[in-house]
Amino acid sequence: MPESAEEYAARVVAAQDRDGRLPVGGQEVLGWDVFPFEVDGLRAKVGPVLVDVEPPRRGEDPSGCHCREAAMEGPAATGDWAAVWEGVGWRVKVAPPSGSPLVLVAEPLEHLDVDALSDDLAAALGRLQVALVGAVEALPSVGRCHVLRLGDGGAHAHVWFVARPARMPQLRGSFMVVWDDLLPPVPAEVRDANAAFVVERLVRRLGGRAVTALA
Ligand SMILES: [Zn+2]
């Protein structure tokens, strides 16, 4: 029998100090060269605490989801989260400029969470994921394309593709999502040129269509 949420939380509470903080120090990850912060003076926030239910996510009620809003097409430079590619079952959107050379999100055209995807949509996601990784990693400024499914913010299934800048070993691995906020944002025209490069390769490999005109 798998342990309950209460049992898990009890072990977390037992590890917290009298202020409700977990100790910082001794964890291997703090010594990694990819950890973005100096450890001196670092302390954990109070928590985590167990709540009664999972917090609601955006789009839990489909009528409040972004996919029910007006057209998502438009110039990417002015329309953040513009769709840049659309194919069988899926679209790819571009994130606002950030430290990463390019951040893309793939989501199903239909309002579906991951556990509701049909086998055909799942198969199409697999092909899209492989094609996107290949295309993003072909960008000259990119060393790796990280793929993340988190899903805590929105109920409409979505997968993140985060380009990790080339030849900067400190940016490797899971902390790239933190570095993404620390690094200076790329200019919108650089992001758009990178997105156009990726979309051109996607269309060549998977078909579908470029949705938004990019540089
Ligand atoms: Zn939706």
Side-chain angles (χ1 to χ4, degrees):
M1 178 84 156
E3 79 172 346
S4 67
E6 286 80 7
E7 288 165 329
Y8 180 92
R11 282 187 293 104
V12 172
V13 168
Q16 288 168 338
D17 65 17
R18 70 177 61 166
D19 293 334
R21 296 175 203 274
L22 291 167
V24 170
Q27 292 97 334
E28 190 190 359
V29 67
L30 300 184
W32 290 355
D33 59 356
V34 296
F35 187 67
F37 306 102
E38 294 187 357
V39 177
D40 287 348
L42 195 69
R43 64 176 187 169
K45 286 186 174 177
V46 171
V49 296
L50 186 66
V51 295
D52 291 338
V53 290
E54 283 280 324
R57 302 172 298 168
R58 268 190 323 279
E60 215 81 74
D61 172 356
S63 67
C65 184
H66 62 81
C67 67
R68 302 294 161 91
E69 287 168 7
M72 284 179 287
E73 301 188 18
T78 54
D80 289 331
W81 299 109
V84 290
W85 178 88
E86 208 172 282
V88 177
W90 291 84
R91 75 166 64 86
V92 174
K93 302 194 299 188
V94 66
S98 62
S100 163
L102 184 64
V103 177
L104 299 169
V105 170
E107 65 176 26
L109 299 176
E110 250 185 286
H111 181 86
L112 294 168
D113 203 347
V114 173
D115 62 358
L117 294 174
S118 66
D119 286 350
D120 281 349
L121 281 174
L125 173 61
R127 295 186 65 207
L128 176 58
Q129 185 167 313
V130 169
L132 267 177
V133 166
V136 172
E137 292 187 353
L139 284 164
S141 66
V142 172
R144 202 78 58 210
C145 177
H146 296 317
V147 182
L148 302 105
R149 186 272 170 169
L150 302 167
D152 280 341
H156 191 128
H158 56 290
V159 179
W160 296 84
F161 296 82
V162 180
R164 192 263 290 159
R167 293 170 17 217
M168 291 187 169
Q170 266 183 292
L171 307 183
R172 288 172 302 153
S174 49
F175 286 111
M176 181 55 212
V177 295
V178 179
W179 286 109
D180 185 43
D181 257 0
L182 297 173
L183 295 162
V186 294
E189 59 271 23
V190 171
R191 177 207 52 177
D192 288 358
N194 286 341
F197 176 98
V198 166
V199 167
E200 198 251 320
R201 275 159 182 73
L202 265 192
V203 171
R204 222 189 302 149
R205 181 162 174 177
L206 290 184
R209 67 185 182 104
V211 175
T212 303
L214 294 167

